[in-house]
């Protein structure tokens, strides 16, 4: 497995909050200009079956979608309106999960985004999300827009 080193293009990303608790999160720029985000899993990410917990995978994909939407919105705040995740395979603790997302369509302040999570060549999860570009001004302004 490739190590998370800057010479390999991976850089730690300070996502803070929830992601700091399950991370660290890493980012690497792809040749197409987009980013791949990654999480190195361990025993702390396991569920009762000894597999990576679905909540960890969902957290990674939600963060990936949010970062892609944020970049696409010119770094304006974005919030998740709806997200659907389909688990296509399992991952074991110790796996590096890599996530990618792309904007499928935008309509006014709404963005429609597709994402994948892989462990090596295996697809672990697929997700779609609706993101809203939020007005600056705080949580109350975001709630009024919804």
């Amino acid at each position: 497995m490739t190590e998370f080193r800057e010479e390999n293009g991976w850089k730690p990303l300070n996502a803070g909050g929830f992601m700091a608790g399950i991370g660290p999160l890493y980012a690497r720029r792809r040749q197409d200009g987009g980013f791949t985000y990654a999480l190195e899993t361990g025993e702390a990410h396991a569920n009762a079956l000894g597999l990576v917990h679905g909540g960890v995978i969902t957290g990674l994909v939600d963060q990936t979608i949010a970062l892609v939407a944020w970049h696409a919105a010119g770094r304006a705040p974005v919030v998740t309106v709806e997200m659907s995740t389909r688990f296509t395979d399992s991952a074991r603790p110790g796996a590096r999960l890599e996530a990618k997302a792309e904007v499928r369509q935008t309509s006014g302040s709404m963005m429609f985004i597709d994402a994948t999570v892989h462990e090596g060549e295996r697809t672990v999860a697929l997700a779609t999300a609706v993101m809203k570009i939020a007005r600056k001004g705080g949580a109350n302004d975001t709630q009024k827009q919804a």
Side-chain angles (χ1 to χ4, degrees), residues 27-104:
R28 178 168 65 181
R29 187 173 291 277
R30 300 188 312 260
Q31 289 183 352
D32 66 5
F35 285 91
T36 298
Y37 298 95
L39 176 68
E40 193 78 41
T41 64
E43 290 302 319
H45 299 106
N47 62 19
L49 300 174
L51 303 171
V52 175
H53 193 287
V56 172
I57 296 167
T58 302
L60 171 61
V61 78
D62 185 44
Q63 184 68 55
T64 298
I65 287 169
L67 287 166
V68 168
W70 178 71
H71 279 287
R75 297 185 173 200
V78 295
V79 294
T80 305
V81 174
E82 177 183 12
M83 187 173 85
S84 173
T85 305
R86 292 160 309 285
F87 299 99
T88 57
D89 207 341
S90 60
R92 298 208 176 272
R96 174 182 300 159
L97 300 178
E98 296 185 12
K100 299 176 188 175
E102 65 180 44
V103 177
R104 180 176 8 109

